[in-house]
Amino acid sequence: MAILSDYEEEEQKKPTSSASSLKKQFKAAFDPSNPLGFLEQVFDFVAKESDLFKSDSLMNDVNAVVRMVKDKVQAEEKKRKEVKFEGNGKVEKKIKEEAPPPPPPQVMKEEVKESVGKAEEDKKGPRAPNKGNGLDMDKYSWVQSLQEVNISVPVPPGTKSRFIVCEIKKNHIKVGVKGQPPVIDGELFQHVKVDDCFWSLEDQKSISILLTKQNQMEWWKYLVKGEPEIDTQKVEPENSKLSDLDPETRSTVEKMMFDQRQKQMGLPSSDEMQKQDILKKFMAEHPEMDFSKAKIN
């Protein structure tokens, strides 16, 4: 009996192989500056103590674990950004720093149609003039009256007048800054009176140019050759300036304005109305004549 007891006691003290493997612990210090070194130690330990690296699906399993941890970290980071805890126990929601959601496909289609429609409209015919009866271009703008054309060309703030290039000829203009490509360089719509033209630098940030028209009885369709034309039928001269004109010019301008309105409404011009009145008067004086086939040219 004594021998049996000693044998059983020895058997109980002897550790099994499975119990020995359970007692093995992973010991490694994590260094934030070298996380990959820590992972190498982890993988080395797992390789020695398990059959994981003998599996054919090892990379898929490892990638799945990495993705799971990454998604968890991103979710926690997003949650911290959205909610801010204050000392008094209240919760303050922060504005998400995210781009606005894209517009619905239908809205995008409408915007594309609108932009394409405008581009096609520009190609098809003249543009509507701006409030100054001219046109706003990408790098400059111009307005006009029957007598003058005023151009505004923005320049870098602080530009000195000695760096300005402004050459005005009878039928050509060139404007820009020295050392840079000219902003305007082309043939004018019509001739100008060079001696009555001038330019100035406004607040060191824009060039103001005044051109005096040679023909002061016609609206310009464009400033320089090659740029888009404006619809002169939509030009609206300021009534307040009509009083500054001499009687003959004012009468001509008023006639032009009247004819433009009549044309827009599909009605006869002042000259056509005058011819109709003459014909009616003649018909009244000669009732014996047949005017059924009479035409006014």
Side-chain angles (χ1 to χ4, degrees), residues 13-61:
K13 292 181 179 180
K14 186 178 179 180
T16 60
S17 59
S18 59
S20 176
S21 63
L22 289 174
K23 290 181 180 179
K24 291 184 179 181
Q25 297 181 356
F26 173 73
K27 295 181 180 180
F30 176 71
D31 184 2
S33 63
N34 187 21
L36 292 179
F38 179 77
L39 286 177
E40 289 178 2
Q41 297 182 45
V42 172
F43 290 140
D44 184 59
F45 177 81
V46 173
K48 292 178 179 179
E49 301 300 325
S50 71
D51 296 333
L52 176 64
F53 284 84
K54 296 180 181 180
S55 171
D56 294 335
S57 61
L58 170 64
M59 295 306 298
N60 292 333
D61 294 340

Side-chain angles (χ1 to χ4, degrees), residues 280-288:
K280 288 179 181 179
K281 184 177 180 181
F282 186 80
M283 290 171 61
E285 294 176 352
H286 300 277
E288 72 281 2

Side-chain angles (χ1 to χ4, degrees), residues 105-258:
Q106 186 63 29
V107 176
M108 295 179 67
K109 288 181 181 179
E110 294 298 330
E111 292 179 352
V112 171
K113 284 183 180 180
E114 185 177 355
S115 60
V116 171
K118 288 182 178 179
E120 292 180 352
E121 183 179 353
D122 292 341
K123 292 180 181 178
K124 287 181 180 179
R127 298 183 182 180
N130 58 21
K131 293 182 179 180
N133 298 323
L135 201 60
D136 296 324
M137 307 298 293
D138 293 336
K139 296 183 179 180
Y140 66 94
S141 63
W142 63 278
V143 297
Q144 67 172 322
S145 64
L146 279 173
Q147 296 80 31
E148 301 171 345
V149 173
N150 289 275
I151 311 168
S152 179
V153 182
V155 295
T159 301
K160 304 294 183 182
S161 58
R162 63 177 178 272
F163 296 116
I164 301 300
V165 176
C166 188
E167 300 175 1
I168 303 174
K169 298 180 181 180
K170 189 175 182 179
N171 63 340
H172 190 276
I173 185 172
K174 181 179 180 181
V175 184
V177 179
K178 290 181 180 179
Q180 299 181 12
V183 178
I184 306 174
D185 187 7
E187 182 181 345
L188 293 168
F189 177 74
Q190 285 188 350
H191 292 178
V192 296
K193 299 178 182 179
V194 179
D195 294 337
D196 295 334
C197 300
F198 62 88
W199 66 271
S200 62
L201 183 61
E202 304 292 337
D203 298 328
Q204 295 185 337
K205 62 182 181 180
S206 66
I207 307 172
S208 179
I209 306 166
L210 183 141
L211 303 178
T212 302
K213 297 180 180 179
Q214 186 77 41
N215 177 9
Q216 301 188 349
M217 300 303 297
E218 184 177 357
W219 298 105
W220 284 18
K221 294 182 179 180
Y222 55 82
L223 178 64
V224 293
K225 189 175 181 179
E227 73 177 18
E229 296 186 6
I230 64 170
D231 186 357
T232 54
Q233 297 294 329
K234 296 181 179 180
V235 168
E236 297 180 359
E238 297 182 17
N239 295 329
S240 58
K241 291 186 177 181
L242 292 176
S243 59
D244 299 334
L245 304 176
D246 60 85
E248 182 179 356
T249 303
R250 178 175 178 176
S251 175
T252 303
V253 173
E254 291 176 342
K255 180 176 178 296
M256 290 172 56
M257 293 171 61
F258 175 80

